[in-house]
Amino acid sequence: MTDKYVYEFSEGDASMKNLLGGKGANLAEMTGLGMPVPQGFTITTEACTQYYADGEQINDAIKAEILTYVGKLEEMTGKKFGDLDNPLLVSVRSGARASMPGMMDTILNLGMNDEVAARFAEKTNNPRFAYDSYRRFIQMYSDVVMEVGKSYFEKLIDEMKESRGVKLDTELTADDLKELAEKFKAQYAEKVGSDFPSDPVEQLFGAIKAVFRSWDNPRAVYYRRMNDIPGSWGTAVNVQSMVFGNTGDTSGTGVAFSRNPATGESGLFGEFLMNAQGEDVVAGIRTPETIDQLKDENPAVYAQFADIVSRLENHYADMQDMEFTIEDGKLFMLQTRNGKRTAAAAFKIACDLVDEGKITPEKAVAMIDPKQIDALLHPQFDTAELKAATPIGKGLPASPGAACGKVSFTAEDAAARGRNGEPVILVRLETTPEDIEGMHHSQGILTARGGMTSHAAVVARGMGTCCVSGLGDIAFAADGKSFTLAGQTFSESDWISLDGSTGNVYGQQIATVPAEIGGYFGRIMEWADQYRTMKVRTNADTPADARQAREFGAEGIGLCRTEHMFFEPDRIAAIREMIVSKTVEQREVALAKLLPMQRGDFEGIYEAMEGYPVTVRLLDPPLHEFLPTDSDDIVALAADMNISVDELKNVIASLHEFNPMMGHRGCRLDVTYPEIGAMQTRAIIEAAINVQKAHPEWTIVPEIMIPLVGEVKELAFVKNIVTSTADAIIADSGIALEYKVGTMIEIPRAAITADEIAKEAEFFSFGTNDLTQMTFGFSRDDAGKFLDAYYDKKIYENDPFARLDTEGVGKLVKTAVELGTQTRPDIKLGICGEHGGDPSSIEFCQKVGLNYVSCSPFRVPIARLAAAQSALNNK
Ligand code: PEP
Ligand code: MG
C-alpha cells in the first residue's frame, strides 16, 4: 500500500494490473505505445478497498488527490469542468483486475448540465449532438448512480418517438432531444427527490462512488464466485476525457476482436455504427455494420485501426477485444483486453498462436481456463434459443452441460421412459442411491435439496449428466405428480431445460447441440501432460466409467465407491439379506452371494484400467441406505427373505440413525461386521489375481482403502482383516501379487494424528467432501439451504464443498501431509473429494505436494490442464 491512489495514464503500464485494473493498465500501456488514447487517469483498486474500509466513503485525502488529477487533465486537454467555452466531459468506467464483462456500469458525457449543453450546441454547431449527449448522460447517471432504472427512460424515449411518428432514435431532432433531456431530469427529480446535479465535481464523485459500489452488486458478487475472483481485490475507476462518436456521419463507435471469438478463425472481427455512442453497438437498437464495411466508409481510419489491432495482438500475444471511437474522422482507442472466447475458439487460438510463433506451448497451456473444457465435453444449448429464453429459477450448478426433456418424478418412471427413447428430466426433492438407474436414463437431474457434494451432484458428475441441485423454490404437489416454480405448474407432459453450468432452469424446450472435441484440444492436452507433475486419476465405480475416464486420460482410479454397485437390481436383494441377517453365519451366506458379483465388477475395472493403479474403497455408507422405504417394497422383501413384515420393519427401525452421516458408516461397519471387509478384500484380491494372470504384461497392485478413519487403532483393526484375508488368498494363488492398504483422511482427528495413522497406512487419500463437512460442522446435503445467506453477508465467498477452503480444511490437509510424511517419507498422497476436479483446489494440492488428484471422468481433462498450470505456476 502506498498513499498514491490516482495515476495518469502516462504514469502506468500493463504490469500494474493489480493496482490499475485491467482496463486502466491497458489504457496506460496503449498510451506508452504511442496509440491514440483519449487521456485521463485511473483511481486505483486500493482506493476502492479504502472506500469500503472507510464505511463506503471516499475519504478527504483521496478526494483531494482526485481533484488534483482533474486539474492535471484540464491542463492536459485545455478543457475545464463546467466551462462554457471549452467544457471537459469525461467517461467514468470500472475496471477490475480480472475482466468482468458487463458486471459493472459505465457513465459517459459526465460534466454536462443545462448551460454546458446549450453552449456545446452552439459551439459545435450541432445541437442534435449536444442534446443527444446530454440526455444520454442523464439517463446513465440516473440508472447507474441513483439506480432509478433504465426502463423509465426507455419509456420516455418510446413515447417521444411515437408522438413524432418516427422509429429510430436518430430520427429525433435536436429539439426533441432537448425536450427529452428535460423530461429525464423531471423523472430523476421525481424518483430521487432532488434535482439532477449540475455541478460536474458532484457528478464525478457520485459516479466514482457508484463504480466502487457496483463492485458489490449482486451480479458482480455472483460472477466473482463463479470465477474464483476474491472480493478483496476491488475495482479501479477510469476517468477519461470524452471523444464523441455521435457528432455526425463522420463519427462512429465500434467493438472489434483481433480474431473471431466464437470460432477462433484469424482475421479482424467486429461491428461498428456511424453516428453513435457507447452502448448503441451492443444494445441492438440499430443494426451495426461489420468492421469490413469501415474500409469503404473510411479507408484511412480502417488501415490505421487494422495496424493498431495487429500491433496490440502481437504486443499482448493474445486475441484482443477492443473498443474504439471515430470522432470527426479521427480514430481513438478506448480499451483493449484479452478477449473472452468460446471453448472451441480458446483451443484453436492457443494452437494458432503457437504455430505463428507468437507464444510457446507453455503459454498456450497457461492461457486456457480449465473450466471451459466442460463446454467441449458436454452438450450445450443452442446459443440463439438460449438467448431468447428466460430462466424461471436458479439452483446450484452441480454438474455441467445442458439438458432438455419432459418432467419425470420417479426414478422408475425416468428409467422406463428414458429406455424408450423419450428425453426426460428427473425432478426430485433429492436423490438416493436407489435412483441410480433413473438418473442414468435421464437427460438431466433437478433437485430441490442438496449441495455441490450431495448424492445427486456427485453421481451426476460421475455420469457426465447435467444436474442442477438445491433449487429450494420448487414446490411439489402432495400427490408428487406436479411441481410449481415461478408460478408455473409442471407435470409429466411438460418440457423443462436445465443449464448445469449456471444452475439456470427454464420452463420450456431449448434445443441442445452435442459436445465436440477437436484436434486442437488433443494438442493442448498433450502439452499439458508434459508440464504436469501430479498424476490425474478418476473416481469411477463401474468398468464403463473407468473406460470413459481412460479415454479422457485418467492414469488410474483414485476412488472406486463399492456401494454404488450394490444398487443394481440383481444384487440389492443380496445386500438387503446381508443387512437383516441376525447372525454372522447368516450374514456370511448373504455375503457369499455378493462375492462373485463384486469380483466380476473389479475384474472389469482392472481390465478397463489396463494396469494403471486402482484404489478400491471398502463399504462406506450407513446400511439403512440400502433398505427399502416404500411399503410395497418392504412387503416384497419380507416375502423374499422369508420373514414377517413386522420383523423387517423392526430391523429397519433399528437401523434408524439421527445423524447417519456421523453414524454407523465407513470403517465402523467393518469394526462391527468384519466379515463385510473380509468379503470385499477377497473380491478385490481374487479379481486382481485373475486379471494379473490374464495379462502378465501389466503389474496389478490393488490399493485397498479404508474410509472414515479417526483413530489409528480402528485402522489397525480393519487393516488386519484386510491383510489376513489378502495374504491367505495370495499364498494360495501361486503368484506374488503386491497390494497396498491405505486410508482416507476425512475426519479432522485423522488429519491431526496423521503421524500415527501413517504407521498403518501406506497411502492417504483426502476425502475432502467429508473432511469439509466435519471441519465446518455442517452437512454437505443441507448447507445449500443457508450458504446463500453467508454469501450475501460476505461471510463466505465460495461454496467450501466446491472449492477447497484452504485456510481451514486446507490446513488440516497440509498438517496431515507433513505428519504423514514424517512417519512414512514415501507415503502416497492423493485427493478424491470433489475438490480433486476443481482448478483452484488443484493448485492447492500442487502446493502441498500431493502425488495425484482424482475426480469424476468428465473432469479428468480439466484436472490435467489445471495440474499443468499449477505445475507451471509453482515451478
Ligand atoms: C469424501 O468424503 O471426500 C469422499 C470422496 O467420499 P464420499 O464422497 O463418498 O463420502
Ligand atoms: Mg467420504
Side-chain angles (χ1 to χ4, degrees), residues 410-481:
T410 66
E412 296 74 44
D413 174 67
R417 290 163 66 191
R419 262 196 301 265
N420 284 335
E422 185 182 347
V424 290
I425 304 278
L426 181 62
V427 185
R428 307 274 292 149
L429 193 59
E430 61 199 339
T431 61
T432 67
E434 275 179 292
D435 296 335
I436 195 94
E437 210 187 337
M439 294 172 79
H440 205 90
H441 286 97
S442 301
Q443 304 297 307
I445 296 145
L446 171 63
T447 68
R449 284 197 199 143
M452 293 293 283
T453 59
S454 63
H455 177 268
V458 171
V459 173
R461 272 200 290 279
M463 291 172 174
T465 301
C466 164
C467 174
V468 173
S469 67
L471 180 56
D473 298 339
I474 290 182
F476 287 96
D479 64 1
K481 295 207 161 102

Side-chain angles (χ1 to χ4, degrees), residues 99 183 295 389 438-439 535 654 673 685-686 791 828 872:
S99 101
K183 288 194 165 154
K295 223 186 267 177
M439 294 172 79
K535 297 273 183 213
S654 72
Y673 304 127
I685 296 295
E686 287 179 353
Y791 307 142
K828 226 195 227 175
L872 291 171

